[in-house]
Amino acid sequence: MTHPLVTQLEFTRREFVRVMEGVSAEEGERVLPPFNSLSFVVAHMAFHEHTMFVLLGQGVDMDLDVQVAHSGADASVPSWNDMWTQWQQITDQADSYLQRLAQEDLHVRLRHGDREVPEVLGHTLLRVIYHYWFHLGEAHAIRQVLGHKDIPEFVGAVGTTSFE
């Protein structure tokens, strides 16, 4: 059975995709100061998932272009289409790890070589979920500035989330 925090991450990802629906490649690569481009936001979230759930969780380095959007990186405008493709590849790889998590796994600290992540995996999962919601709001604001009228106005189909 999928852990409830993983189910919440899956729901959050669907909301991330939903808030980006209708954005063209040109709009996704547009910079509206003080915001980064939406393509940077997609790359940034892909980078976070890659770091936590692929590199640290599985020891796999997918060596993709999302590295340009690490925390603290200088603003850049990666390709909208490439970032979505890489986001999908990374989340698919992350899922192969996340789907196997049990309750006891959430109390473990991820490691990279001799470095240990300061928080347990359960807190890391929460941090990634909350990180998505921060950028969901940012993406919503950017879409408003772009003049989009068809933006989701509230959290979507919560009822599709199972509690079993």
Side-chain angles (χ1 to χ4, degrees):
M1 180 173 92
T2 303
H3 191 278
L5 281 180
V6 175
T7 300
Q8 286 303 302
L9 175 61
E10 292 167 347
F11 174 77
T12 301
R13 287 177 184 160
R14 287 192 302 275
E15 289 298 289
F16 185 69
V17 170
R18 189 170 78 103
V19 83
M20 299 290 193
E21 286 175 353
V23 174
S24 69
E26 179 182 334
E27 291 169 327
E29 295 170 9
R30 189 167 168 197
V31 177
L32 300 166
F35 301 108
N36 287 312
S37 67
L38 289 172
S39 63
F40 185 91
V41 172
V42 173
H44 182 64
M45 291 313 305
F47 175 80
H48 197 175
E49 288 221 35
H50 178 268
T51 300
M52 294 298 133
F53 307 135
V54 178
L55 183 62
L56 300 183
Q58 301 173 65
V60 174
D61 186 353
M62 296 176 73
D63 193 31
L64 298 171
D65 296 335
V66 298
Q67 304 293 333
V68 302
H70 65 83
S71 295
D74 291 334
S76 64
V77 184
S79 162
W80 174 252
N81 293 327
D82 290 350
M83 292 307 98
W84 274 114
T85 298
Q86 292 181 30
W87 181 86
Q88 187 64 59
Q89 292 170 333
I90 287 166
T91 56
D92 286 350
Q93 180 68 37
D95 283 346
S96 69
Y97 168 71
L98 295 169
Q99 293 297 321
R100 296 188 315 263
L101 292 178
Q103 182 63 35
E104 57 271 11
D105 296 323
L106 301 187
H107 301 282
V108 172
R109 295 178 194 275
L110 296 172
R111 300 186 64 79
H112 185 62
D114 60 351
R115 284 189 28 231
E116 189 174 70
V117 173
E119 59 194 15
V120 296
L121 181 55
H123 292 148
T124 299
L125 260 167
L126 287 172
R127 182 173 304 283
V128 172
I129 292 166
Y130 300 154
H131 192 184
Y132 266 110
W133 285 106
F134 175 87
H135 288 295
L136 271 154
E138 179 184 37
H140 197 279
I142 292 168
R143 290 199 58 195
Q144 286 176 320
V145 172
L146 286 168
H148 290 203
K149 303 290 186 217
D150 59 343
I151 310 166
E153 292 187 14
F154 193 69
V155 176
V158 174
T160 63
T161 301
S162 172
F163 296 110
E164 296 177 33

